[in-house]
Amino acid sequence: MAQDSGTRTLISQAQLDRGRGRIIYWTLLAVVVVGFTLVFIGPLYWMVTGALKSGQEIAQTPPSLFPKDPQPQNYVDAWHNLDLAKLLFNTFYYATGAVLFQLVLDTAAAYSLSKLRPIFGNAILGLMLATLMIPAMVLIVPQYVTVIDLPIVHLNLLDSPFAIWLPLVANAFNIFLLKRFFDSIPEDLMAAAFVDGATPLRTLWSIILPMSRPILGVVSIFAVTAVWKDFLWPKLVMPSPETRTVSVGIYAFAGGTPMNVVIAASVIAAIPTVVIFLIFQRNIMSGLTTGSLKG
């Protein structure tokens, strides 16, 4: 393959054309790819195979690489003993609500900052982004105090889905992603819509949102993942066994449940997010890259 004379790379094409250079290059590439694959796939493999082992085998030292006597019954026991159907339904319900709230409110905020450009809009955006520098653990106490006594209306939101939905609405990172994407939409489209008599809300619904499907998909996936993997906050605001999420439910039953069954429950709980990523991975990449390009 010919190389552009203006291109500069770490390894020149002449070195790659030599026998030794080519061998070294492909060897290093293979080592790096295999190494990163093991780092990311290894824990998943260990979790799936651990759920197929017996209690004695999973506790032995050194651990076995393959189950000596696979026990698929562990997955059945995990499903029934931990009531995973109820836990998964609760988590899916909370995730769906979080997606709807974020799509409506975060999209409105990003649209106003990007296209309507209110007074002090840049200052507001800067303050919102500054909140990303605050550790999440620091916000736990004030958020919990707010949830147990909602200001003005004085409502207790414990065991209410709004205790999970409301803190997720004002997501500065998602608003920033949406704003960057909206910034890439040509102003000519907005001007043409206004000339035709479209209101800002009509322009958002008929022009902006249909063009923003990739980034809306990214925000939706982020919202689902945030709810699905969260543990501390649902544990604090959902104390009742009937309202627990899947991560909290597995933790609550882990004390009196064999470890292999707990691992099997963790595998079942991880399947939905893995499937979502595999289905929408192209949308994730296109949504994250499109907003960074102008024109």
Side-chain angles (χ1 to χ4, degrees), residues 49 80 120 274:
T49 56
H80 293 290
F120 304 120
V274 174

Side-chain angles (χ1 to χ4, degrees), residues 1-74:
M1 180 182 295
Q3 184 180 13
D4 186 2
S5 59
T7 304
R8 296 291 184 268
T9 58
L10 185 62
I11 303 176
S12 67
Q13 187 65 35
Q15 290 176 316
L16 289 178
D17 290 338
R18 300 172 186 169
R20 183 178 179 183
R22 185 181 296 274
I23 293 175
I24 295 176
Y25 172 78
W26 286 109
T27 300
L28 291 176
L29 180 62
V31 169
V32 171
V33 171
V34 171
F36 275 95
T37 301
L38 292 177
V39 168
F40 288 102
I41 302 299
L44 294 177
Y45 170 80
W46 201 257
M47 184 170 63
V48 173
T49 56
L52 295 173
K53 297 178 181 178
S54 63
Q56 295 79 7
E57 185 178 3
I58 202 172
Q60 74 179 23
T61 303
S64 58
L65 188 60
F66 303 99
K68 297 178 181 178
D69 183 20
Q71 300 181 4
Q73 182 64 29
N74 293 337

Side-chain angles (χ1 to χ4, degrees), residues 84-98 164-165 223-230 234 243-249 269 272-273:
L84 284 180
K86 176 65 175 177
L87 297 176
L88 289 173
F89 174 80
N90 290 343
T91 310
F92 180 78
Y93 175 61
Y94 301 146
T96 302
I164 291 180
W165 293 339
V224 171
T225 305
V227 173
W228 211 276
K229 71 178 183 179
D230 198 8
T243 59
R244 288 171 178 165
T245 61
V246 66
S247 57
V248 177
T273 53

Side-chain angles (χ1 to χ4, degrees), residues 184-287:
S184 67
I185 297 177
E187 293 291 341
D188 294 342
L189 294 176
M190 300 286 298
F194 290 148
V195 169
D196 291 339
T199 62
L201 183 59
R202 179 67 179 179
T203 303
L204 172 64
W205 181 260
S206 301
I207 297 178
I208 303 298
L209 292 183
M211 300 177 63
S212 304
R213 290 177 182 174
I215 195 64
L216 294 178
V218 171
V219 171
S220 301
I221 293 171
F222 283 172
V224 171
T225 305
V227 173
W228 211 276
K229 71 178 183 179
D230 198 8
F231 170 77
L232 180 58
W233 184 247
K235 180 173 173 57
L236 292 175
V237 299
M238 297 293 178
S240 173
E242 295 299 320
T243 59
R244 288 171 178 165
T245 61
V246 66
S247 57
V248 177
I250 292 175
Y251 171 80
F253 287 102
T257 306
M259 184 56 62
N260 52 352
V261 177
V262 173
I263 296 176
S266 301
V267 173
I268 296 174
I271 289 176
T273 53
V274 174
V275 171
I276 290 174
F277 174 78
L278 293 178
I279 294 176
F280 297 104
Q281 58 179 326
R282 292 187 179 180
N283 301 74
I284 296 175
M285 297 306 300
S286 62

